[in-house]
């Protein structure tokens, strides 16, 4: 008589809890092993790149030494990928970008190899590269997310919103909150034109909530759209309500399709007071607000926020990503495109 295998439920809650703990332990071990293997690989690539640089500089070897080295390493390690001439050039660029011997201790050394290739291709400044490497490591950005953050100049937008946080929040919380807000926010993924109405934008943002949360930044959890509050029998609707896991507070987002007006700050201040009174738990930090406007006058916004009792910020949003001036000058005009289309039709 053969024993039939039992399901996990047959062993009771103790077994299920133990199994869940073991699964987590195995998964953590696998992640540590993968991270350790990646660090070793990146460290090896950095050392090879440093050696190529040193020998080219000291011995005057030209670019052809990279091709020869690629052939010899492939012959010596036929089962190992990564020794193409292109990859060896990336190794050289890696050592150029991070020349200090302590590279292995930096955030960049913890990133996957193709993340580093993306940084080397797309970010020219050393300070900016370090910023993106640190954020990618901190938030676990995929390569596609890293590329998107670079393309939208996240390093210039982070912490740039106008706020009154330094006056309304204690130093640790105020610094964290300021870094959380950007200016401008880019909503080009919505596919809307500049004449879109507030409700259209709200609906599109909630339809594309994953991309919206990504643009907001790490830590935001979506609570609701048109969130209802009742105060003394009157009904009020908050455009978008979030909770920030790191700040441990609610975040009220109000969306305006017009330039910033001082009265918007007063409306948001009321919403923040209501959320603190009705929703905020005793262990939560004070609720913060974000006014997203089509455009703003910086000085007007600063004056308006000085008189507000609650912590809030003002930032712009863009429904279409702006083309950099350096690229815009090289783009063909509408007349040139039309002329080329007519020529193509004629030749076809």
């Amino acid at each position: 008589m053969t024993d039939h295998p039992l399901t996990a439920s047959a062993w009771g809650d103790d077994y299920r809890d133990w199994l869940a703990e073991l699964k987590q332990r195995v998964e953590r071990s696998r992640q540590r092993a993968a991270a350790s293997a990646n660090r070793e690989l990146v460290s090896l690539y950095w050392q090879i790149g440093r050696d190529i640089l040193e020998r080219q500089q000291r011995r005057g070897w030209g670019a052809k030494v990279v091709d020869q080295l690629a052939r010899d390493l492939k012959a010596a390690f036929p089962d190992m990928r990564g020794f193409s001439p292109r990859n060896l050039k990336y190794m050289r660029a890696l050592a150029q970008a991070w020349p200090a011997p302590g590279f292995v201790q930096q955030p960049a050394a913890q990133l996957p190899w193709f993340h580093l290739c993306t940084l080397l291709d797309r970010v020219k400044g050393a300070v900016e590269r370090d910023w993106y490497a640190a954020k990618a490591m901190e938030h676990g950005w995929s390569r596609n997310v890293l590329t998107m953050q670079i393309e939208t100049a996240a390093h210039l937008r982070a912490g740039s919103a106008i706020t009154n946080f330094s006056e309304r929040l204690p130093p640790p919380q105020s610094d964290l909150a300021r870094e959380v807000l950007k200016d401008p926010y880019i909503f080009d993924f919505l596919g809307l034109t500049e004449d879109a109405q507030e409700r259209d934008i709200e609906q599109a943002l909630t339809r594309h909530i994953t991309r919206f949360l990504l643009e907001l930044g790490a830590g935001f959890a979506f609570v609701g759209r048109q969130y209802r509050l009742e105060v003394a029998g009157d009904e009020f609707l908050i455009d978008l309500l979030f909770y920030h896991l790191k700040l441990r507070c609610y975040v009220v987002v109000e969306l305006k399709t017009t330039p910033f007006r001082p009265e918007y700050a007063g409306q948001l201040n009321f919403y923040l007071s209501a959320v603190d009174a009705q929703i905020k738990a005793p262990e939560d930090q004070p609720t913060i607000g974000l006014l997203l406007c089509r455009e703003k006058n910086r000085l007007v916004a600063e004056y308006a926020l000085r008189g507000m009792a609650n912590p809030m910020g003002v930032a712009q949003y863009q429904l279409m990503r702006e083309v950099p001036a350096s690229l815009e000058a090289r783009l063909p005009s509408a007349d040139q495109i039309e002329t080329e289309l007519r020529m193509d039709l004629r030749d076809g």
Side-chain angles (χ1 to χ4, degrees):
M1 183 175 179
T2 57
D3 290 334
H4 294 287
L6 299 175
T7 62
S9 60
W11 297 97
D13 292 342
D14 185 55
Y15 178 83
R16 280 197 297 270
D17 292 345
W18 179 48
L19 178 61
E21 181 189 341
L22 287 178
K23 286 179 178 178
Q24 291 178 356
R25 212 181 300 169
V26 170
E27 187 58 36
R28 285 196 297 267
S29 179
R30 288 176 58 184
Q31 290 173 355
R32 286 196 298 268
S36 177
N38 178 74
R39 283 194 298 271
E40 285 297 320
L41 182 67
V42 170
S43 177
L44 172 65
Y45 284 177
W46 180 83
Q47 292 172 34
I48 292 173
R50 180 196 56 190
D51 289 352
I52 293 171
L53 271 177
E54 287 180 354
R55 280 161 175 75
Q56 284 183 324
Q57 292 167 359
R58 191 169 68 246
R59 298 180 181 275
W61 292 344
K64 289 185 177 179
V65 70
V66 173
D67 296 328
Q68 182 61 50
L69 185 61
R71 286 191 293 269
D72 291 338
L73 287 175
K74 279 184 179 179
F77 305 101
D79 57 337
M80 191 172 176
R81 299 175 62 185
F83 291 136
S84 66
R86 177 181 173 80
N87 223 34
L88 289 176
K89 288 172 185 174
Y90 272 121
M91 296 177 203
R92 182 184 185 278
L94 179 70
Q96 269 186 318
W98 285 280
F103 166 71
V104 292
Q105 305 301 325
Q106 297 184 34
Q110 323 303 316
L111 293 175
W113 174 241
F114 288 111
H115 280 59
L116 291 171
C117 293
T118 298
L119 288 173
L120 293 170
D121 280 338
R122 294 176 174 270
V123 186
K124 301 309 176 188
V127 174
E128 290 82 2
R129 269 196 306 268
D130 285 340
W131 187 90
Y132 283 107
K135 293 299 180 183
M137 185 63 195
E138 179 184 355
H139 301 307
W141 289 344
S142 68
R143 188 183 178 194
N144 286 339
V145 171
L146 173 61
T147 300
M148 186 198 74
Q149 298 286 4
I150 294 170
E151 287 178 347
T152 58
H155 70 289
L156 295 177
R157 300 186 293 127
S160 297
I162 300 168
T163 75
N164 62 357
F165 293 160
S166 60
E167 293 82 29
R168 298 293 176 263
L169 295 171
Q173 186 78 354
S174 64
D175 293 342
L176 281 173
R178 187 173 59 252
E179 282 303 309
V180 161
L181 300 190
K182 303 175 181 176
D183 187 29
Y185 288 84
I186 299 175
F187 300 149
D188 59 343
F189 55 88
L190 299 180
L192 298 176
T193 58
E194 293 296 334
D195 58 354
Q197 300 302 304
E198 287 176 19
R199 286 297 173 89
D200 298 330
I201 299 171
E202 285 177 26
Q203 290 172 353
L205 287 173
T206 49
R207 279 200 309 271
H208 299 274
I209 191 64
T210 302
R211 284 293 306 271
F212 184 28
L213 289 171
L214 188 61
E215 174 61 10
L216 284 176
F220 281 89
F222 182 56
V223 177
R225 170 178 170 261
Q226 292 296 300
Y227 193 91
R228 182 179 175 275
L229 290 173
E230 185 178 325
V231 180
D234 290 335
E235 182 182 75
F236 301 90
L237 298 175
I238 292 174
D239 287 346
L240 297 160
L241 183 63
F242 296 87
Y243 189 85
H244 198 279
L245 302 175
K246 190 173 181 180
L247 295 175
R248 309 301 300 175
C249 70
Y250 285 96
V251 181
V252 173
V253 177
E254 281 294 296
L255 189 68
K256 304 296 181 184
T257 55
T258 59
F260 172 79
R261 296 173 187 163
E263 55 264 35
Y264 294 160
Q267 178 190 25
L268 180 58
N269 191 65
F270 169 77
Y271 288 159
L272 297 180
S273 295
V275 170
D276 277 345
Q278 298 185 10
I279 305 174
K280 172 183 171 295
E283 63 270 19
D284 289 333
Q285 297 294 325
T287 304
I288 66 175
L290 171 61
L291 269 169
L292 285 175
C293 301
R294 185 61 59 89
E295 58 185 78
K296 67 181 186 304
N297 180 304
R298 189 172 188 88
L299 190 58
V300 171
E302 288 176 353
Y303 283 179
L305 295 193
R306 286 180 191 175
M308 296 299 112
N310 292 302
M312 64 180 71
V314 179
Q316 295 178 197
Y317 67 88
Q318 298 173 1
L319 293 177
M320 292 181 287
R321 197 182 306 179
E322 292 181 352
V323 179
S326 58
L327 178 60
E328 191 171 18
R330 300 199 298 269
L331 293 177
S333 65
D335 290 340
Q336 289 172 319
I337 294 173
E338 188 177 347
T339 301
E340 289 183 12
L341 285 173
R342 284 201 301 267
M343 291 176 64
D344 289 343
L345 288 171
R346 184 193 64 197
D347 294 343

